[in-house]
């Protein structure tokens, strides 16, 4: 083969390889620039008001159902900030009857599970419009929409982890006697033995004080004699509290007038 032909072939091959290498290098630089731009955009979003919340729920479509468990970090306006470990998100309660008095029922540090829908709030950040809230530390379930209850996931997990035959029911407490309460649901009555709980939900101390007229959810185990004695042993008790009922109760409570500075309390207690 002619030397000039060989030289031309070698030169063409080298040129082609150089072109390929340059193209690959250019693609790598473009990918790096794109990745850097994405990182800068994420940082910019997190620096904006509500940026953390937007990043936290960016994988959810508006209107999507979501259940999150975590700790109330702070009460803010008609809602609160939920720290669920991986991130933080704003929970909106503006449609609740007692939204302007959240501090009377919720407080920083409480363990809660929130069920609701994803919504776009101020600055286009995503937040949760709460339908119901289960306060784990108080054994209380607040709701305005009693669907997809926040406590259900925990109860399903509890049932899966234990052996035996379990029953759950919701109803009104119609009788309280010693360590036993009677619950009426759909015309049927079931006796609930609370003696196996780690606390006493029927005493006058503690965060949960169940009394006649309360609505509760109870989860527990039953034995072979259940259909004879209609008695179950409680594993967990949750007080059900509709937001509207709670607001009505609060409005119905008479205001307590306390003596101002320099005034004398005329009650018998004040005269002692």
């Amino acid at each position: 083969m002619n030397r000039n032909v060989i030289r031309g072939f070698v030169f063409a091959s080298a040129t082609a390889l150089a072109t390929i290498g340059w193209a690959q290098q250019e693609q790598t630089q473009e990918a790096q620039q794109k990745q850097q731009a994405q990182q800068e955009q994420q940082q910019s979003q997190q620096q904006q008001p509500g940026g953390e919340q937007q990043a936290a729920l960016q994988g959810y479509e508006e209107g999507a159902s979501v259940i999150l468990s975590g700790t109330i970090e702070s009460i803010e306006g008609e809602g609160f900030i939920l720290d669920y470990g991986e991130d933080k998100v704003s929970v909106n309660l503006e449609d609740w009857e007692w939204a302007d008095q959240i501090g009377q029922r919720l407080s920083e540090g409480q363990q809660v599970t929130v069920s609701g829908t994803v919504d776009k709030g101020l600055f286009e950040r995503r937040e949760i419009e709460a339908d119901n809230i289960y306060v784990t530390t108080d054994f209380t379930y607040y709701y305005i929409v009693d669907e997809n209850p926040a406590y259900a996931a925990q109860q399903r997990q509890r049932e899966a982890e234990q052996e035996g035959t379990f029953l759950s029911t919701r109803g009104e407490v119609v009788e309280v006697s010693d360590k036993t309460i009677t619950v009426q649901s759909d015309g049927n009555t079931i006796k609930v033995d609370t003696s196996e709980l780690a606390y006493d939900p029927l005493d006058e101390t503690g965060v949960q004080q169940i009394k006649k007229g309360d609505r509760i959810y109870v989860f527990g185990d039953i034995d072979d004699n259940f259909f004879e004695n209609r008695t179950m042993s409680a594993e967990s008790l949750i007080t059900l509290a509709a937001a509207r009922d709670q607001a009505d109760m609060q409005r119905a409570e008479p205001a307590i007038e306390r003596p101002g500075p320099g005034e004398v309390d005329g009650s018998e207690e004040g005269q002692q």
Side-chain angles (χ1 to χ4, degrees):
M1 183 180 293
N2 189 294
R3 286 186 176 181
N4 291 331
V5 173
I6 294 174
R7 289 176 180 172
F9 177 76
V10 171
F11 176 78
S13 299
T15 302
L17 289 174
T19 302
I20 293 174
W22 176 81
Q24 291 177 341
Q25 184 179 5
E26 186 178 42
Q27 290 177 354
T28 301
Q29 291 177 346
E30 290 179 354
Q32 291 175 345
Q33 291 175 353
K34 184 176 181 181
Q35 183 179 4
Q36 183 178 356
Q38 290 175 345
Q39 291 176 348
E40 290 176 352
Q41 183 178 5
Q42 291 175 354
Q43 291 175 356
S44 175
Q45 289 176 343
Q46 292 179 352
Q47 290 172 357
Q48 295 175 357
E52 292 182 356
Q53 291 87 332
Q54 182 174 357
L57 294 176
Q58 62 182 358
Y60 291 86
E61 296 292 335
E62 185 173 8
S65 298
V66 61
I67 297 180
L68 290 177
S69 296
T71 304
I72 296 179
E73 181 182 79
S74 61
I75 305 295
E76 297 188 359
E78 296 184 337
F80 60 87
I81 300 299
L82 176 68
D83 182 347
Y84 59 96
E86 298 178 3
D87 216 318
K88 301 174 185 178
V89 66
S90 175
V91 178
N92 190 340
L93 302 178
E94 64 181 3
D95 293 331
W96 291 56
E97 295 288 332
W98 40 263
D100 58 341
Q101 298 172 332
I102 296 176
Q104 295 186 12
R105 293 173 177 81
L106 303 176
S107 59
E108 297 178 5
Q110 284 183 321
Q111 300 292 319
V112 299
T113 299
V114 179
S115 176
T117 56
V118 177
D119 187 33
K120 287 184 179 180
L122 192 64
F123 301 109
E124 294 298 308
R125 75 175 186 267
R126 295 188 184 278
E127 59 186 15
I128 298 178
E129 292 280 352
D131 290 335
N132 51 73
I133 302 169
Y134 173 43
V135 185
T136 311
T137 45
D138 289 358
F139 310 105
T140 304
Y141 168 72
Y142 297 110
Y143 64 92
I144 56 171
V145 179
D146 192 19
E147 295 180 4
N148 199 23
Y151 60 78
Q154 295 185 9
Q155 298 306 316
R156 285 194 295 268
Q157 182 178 358
R158 182 191 294 267
E159 186 173 358
E161 292 175 348
Q162 300 185 23
E163 297 181 357
T165 304
F166 295 90
L167 175 72
S168 64
T169 187
R170 292 163 47 128
E172 181 181 347
V173 176
V174 294
E175 185 179 348
V176 177
S177 176
D178 194 19
K179 296 289 185 178
T180 303
I181 59 178
T182 303
V183 179
Q184 186 173 48
S185 176
D186 297 328
N188 299 313
T189 58
I190 296 176
K191 292 186 180 298
V192 181
D193 180 5
T194 66
S195 60
E196 296 298 321
L197 294 173
Y199 66 100
D200 186 355
L202 307 180
D203 61 13
E204 297 181 355
T205 61
V207 293
Q208 188 179 43
Q209 301 173 27
I210 294 178
K211 59 186 181 300
K212 184 178 179 180
D214 286 349
R215 292 185 64 251
I216 65 170
Y217 167 91
V218 56
F219 170 83
D221 63 298
I222 60 176
D223 56 26
D224 295 336
N225 298 321
F226 172 74
F227 293 100
E228 296 178 6
N229 55 32
R230 305 287 292 179
T231 300
M232 62 185 295
S233 180
E235 293 281 341
S236 66
L237 289 175
I238 299 174
T239 303
L240 308 179
R244 182 178 298 278
D245 293 342
Q246 292 288 303
D248 291 342
M249 288 174 57
Q250 182 170 328
R251 284 192 288 267
E253 292 178 354
I256 300 176
E257 295 184 2
R258 302 187 182 277
E263 296 182 2
V264 178
D265 187 350
S267 66
E268 294 181 0
E269 183 179 2
Q271 295 174 358
Q272 292 179 353

